[in-house]
Amino acid sequence: MKLIHLLALLPFIGILGCIGFVNKVEPYVLGLPFLLFWIVLWVVLTSVIMAIIYKLDPANKGGDS
């Protein structure tokens, strides 16, 4: 499997795959229950991961055509 596909799989695993392990109200992180903080964290990380995938994608190497 290509690196791009593995990177694209990370948000899915982080949000849906680990939700059972982080399903806790306490501790509070930045004033949010831990579960809500986990979801917000993965939304931000998903944006970062998608930017990395965009930079690594060979289809985006060309100029404006």
Side-chain angles (χ1 to χ4, degrees), residues 19-40:
I19 207 82
F21 299 112
V22 298
N23 191 11
K24 299 175 172 70
V25 173
E26 303 225 350
Y28 284 92
V29 181
L30 300 174
L32 299 172
F34 187 70
L35 179 61
L36 184 58
F37 169 75
W38 182 262
I39 293 170
V40 170

Side-chain angles (χ1 to χ4, degrees), residues 1-64:
M1 194 179 280
K2 292 183 179 181
L3 176 64
I4 293 174
H5 295 126
L6 290 175
L7 282 174
L9 190 61
L10 278 177
F12 178 78
I13 293 171
I15 293 176
L16 296 179
C18 296
I19 207 82
F21 299 112
V22 298
N23 191 11
K24 299 175 172 70
V25 173
E26 303 225 350
Y28 284 92
V29 181
L30 300 174
L32 299 172
F34 187 70
L35 179 61
L36 184 58
F37 169 75
W38 182 262
I39 293 170
V40 170
L41 173 74
W42 274 103
V43 167
V44 172
L45 286 176
T46 299
S47 299
V48 172
I49 290 170
M50 290 299 125
I52 293 170
I53 290 172
Y54 179 78
K55 292 291 184 184
L56 291 177
D57 190 8
N60 297 323
K61 298 288 187 211
D64 293 334

